């Protein structure tokens, strides 16, 4: 008998595993067709989602999930958002964002070590307006492409 992903007794995947597989496929599909602007938006969304997940895990006492979520958030900020800054040509804005991202990773580390939900809330409050401003400056072409994709679907 073949294992299936339908939830039957012979299934080789739990519902949680299936959810993770589908989420990963969705992310990979989104990344492959995304513009640079959309990729940065995805990084912001991922960082905020991880920060909120860490907050919930912290409040429920789930140490493993909290640590994994904070580690993911730090990685997104350091290896994604911070690494994408052009410090040479970006001027004051790039330098300011670099310093802010450094501060946020320090606060995330503090939150992890001290189980400090207020530090996670602070990180969310710092990232959210930057994410919102980034989304607000989306290139007009992105709206046209999005509309064209919705028509095809």
């Amino acid at each position: 008998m073949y294992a299936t992903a339908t939830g039957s007794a012979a299934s080789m995947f739990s519902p949680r595993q299936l959810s993770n597989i589908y989420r990963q496929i969705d992310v990979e599909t989104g990344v492959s067709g995304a513009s640079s602007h959309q990729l940065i938006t995805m990084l912001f969304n991922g960082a905020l989602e991880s920060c909120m997940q860490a907050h919930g895990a912290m409040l429920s006492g789930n140490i493993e999930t909290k640590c994994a979520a904070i580690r993911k958030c730090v990685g997104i900020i350091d290896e994604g958002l911070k690494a994408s800054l052009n410090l040479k040509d970006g001027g004051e804005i790039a330098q300011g964002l670099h310093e802010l991202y450094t501060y946020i990773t320090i606060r995330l580390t503090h939150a992890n070590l001290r189980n400090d939900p207020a530090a996670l809330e602070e990180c969310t409050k710092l990232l959210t307006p930057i994410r919102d401003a980034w989304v607000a400056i989306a290139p007009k072409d992105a709206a046209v492409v999005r509309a064209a994709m919705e028509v095809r679907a």
Side-chain angles (χ1 to χ4, degrees), residues 4 29 41 53 64-65 80 115 122 126 130 145:
T4 65
T29 303
T41 302
Q53 185 180 40
E64 187 177 338
T65 301
N115 281 322
E122 178 186 8
L126 291 169
I130 300 167
V145 170

Side-chain angles (χ1 to χ4, degrees), residues 24-90:
Q24 183 64 30
I25 290 169
D26 187 46
V27 168
E28 289 173 5
T29 303
V31 168
S32 66
S35 68
S36 298
H37 189 273
Q38 291 166 325
L39 290 172
I40 298 297
T41 302
M42 292 171 78
L43 290 172
F44 277 120
N45 290 344
L48 286 166
E49 181 181 329
S50 295
C51 199
M52 288 184 274
Q53 185 180 40
H55 188 267
M58 185 181 289
L59 294 179
S60 68
N62 187 335
I63 303 300
E64 187 177 338
T65 301
K66 174 203 75 164
C67 291
I70 290 175
R71 185 173 39 253
K72 182 177 179 180
C73 190
V74 167
I76 291 170
I77 291 169
D78 276 346
E79 298 166 22
L81 294 171
K82 198 171 175 183
S84 68
L85 294 171
N86 181 344
L87 295 174
K88 181 181 174 199
D89 299 325

Side-chain angles (χ1 to χ4, degrees), residues 75-137:
I76 291 170
I77 291 169
D78 276 346
E79 298 166 22
L81 294 171
K82 198 171 175 183
S84 68
L85 294 171
N86 181 344
L87 295 174
K88 181 181 174 199
D89 299 325
E92 267 182 58
I93 293 174
Q95 187 59 44
L97 286 171
H98 187 272
E99 291 170 10
L100 180 62
Y101 294 154
T102 299
Y103 175 77
I104 290 171
T105 58
I106 290 168
R107 293 299 290 156
L108 288 167
T109 303
H110 166 86
N112 198 17
L113 294 173
R114 305 279 187 211
N115 281 322
D116 184 355
L120 290 175
E121 292 166 9
E122 178 186 8
C123 294
T124 299
K125 287 179 183 176
L126 291 169
L127 284 171
T128 299
I130 300 167
R131 183 243 178 237
D132 293 346
W134 182 258
V135 169
I137 62 165

